[in-house]
Amino acid sequence: EMQAAITSLERCPIPVVAAIHGFCIGAGVDLITAADVRICSPNSIFSVREVRLGLAADVGTLQRLPKVVGHSSRIRELCFTGEDFGSDEAARIGLVSRISQSDDSLVEEGLAICRLIAGNSPVAVTGTKLSLNYSRDHTVADGLEHIATLNAAALITDDIMNSLVSPSDSRDGGGSRFARLLPIARL
């Protein structure tokens, strides 16, 4: 059940932004690797610590972390040793996309990313997430076929025309010109 709970973030059709502050150890790493965008505060500490407790991480880190950051020697070292690493290394290896200016600004910086995403077409954002996840686990040819099918659905909305006719800066929350998604029952 814990695996399914963590996987629900990855399967959620809406992008999930994780804002990490302080310690992110074990299940915390499981959780954030299922998120779409990860940012952290300057004082964040990460660790795949399960090996130090006598077991292999079993809720998704070993499956997702290499897909998030690559199968580098450093990732394997971190998983084999349970070593702690800080925000600078998390950014360097690609676990987080950015480090907030301060601990206090972390949530606002995370919400700013959310507002930028929300300013875009919900149909396009959802299609993008579905395609990124699908393409991660399939060939390029399969991914291209998948996105063609998803974009066929986008063409039945007025989102493309509306974005060309009445362009607005997505940072101002002008996403109201786009079609709404139908209710999602699997959240």
Side-chain angles (χ1 to χ4, degrees):
E1 289 183 28
M2 184 70 134
Q3 290 174 344
I6 299 292
T7 298
S8 68
L9 271 70
E10 185 176 66
R11 295 188 68 192
C12 176
I14 300 164
V16 175
V17 177
I20 302 114
H21 181 273
F23 290 95
C24 183
I25 296 172
V29 177
D30 291 321
L31 187 67
I32 67 165
T33 57
D36 299 295
V37 177
R38 292 164 299 281
I39 66 171
C40 71
S41 65
N43 73 344
S44 296
I45 302 293
F46 302 84
S47 180
V48 182
R49 187 143 325 154
E50 287 86 345
V51 72
R52 289 171 48 188
L53 302 174
L55 63 139
D58 62 352
V59 190
T61 293
L62 299 180
Q63 293 70 35
R64 290 187 183 97
L65 186 61
K67 290 184 178 189
V68 168
V69 302
H71 287 277
S72 73
S73 174
R74 182 63 177 143
I75 294 307
R76 289 172 177 267
E77 179 183 346
L78 291 169
C79 291
F80 292 148
T81 64
E83 175 186 340
D84 291 352
F85 59 101
S87 57
D88 288 334
E89 183 161 9
R92 184 182 62 75
I93 64 175
L95 179 57
V96 299
S97 56
R98 66 178 81 171
I99 302 168
S100 66
Q101 292 297 313
S102 68
D103 294 344
D104 294 334
S105 68
L106 174 67
V107 171
E108 183 50 45
E109 290 181 44
L111 289 172
I113 294 168
C114 293
R115 284 189 289 274
L116 286 172
I117 294 168
N120 293 317
S121 160
V123 173
V125 170
T126 298
T128 297
K129 178 171 178 170
L130 291 171
S131 184
L132 286 168
N133 286 347
Y134 183 89
S135 295
R136 176 197 60 208
D137 299 328
H138 294 83
T139 67
V140 171
D142 289 343
L144 290 170
E145 187 174 324
H146 182 259
I147 193 61
T149 303
L150 290 175
N151 274 343
L155 293 175
I156 63 172
T157 71
D158 292 328
D159 287 1
I160 296 170
M161 184 58 72
N162 289 342
S163 70
L164 296 173
V165 172
S166 60
S168 100
D169 186 347
S170 62
R171 288 170 285 207
D172 69 4
S176 62
R177 68 185 189 273
F178 296 119
R180 293 183 172 267
L181 287 175
L182 295 174
I184 300 167
R186 291 184 296 168
L187 289 181

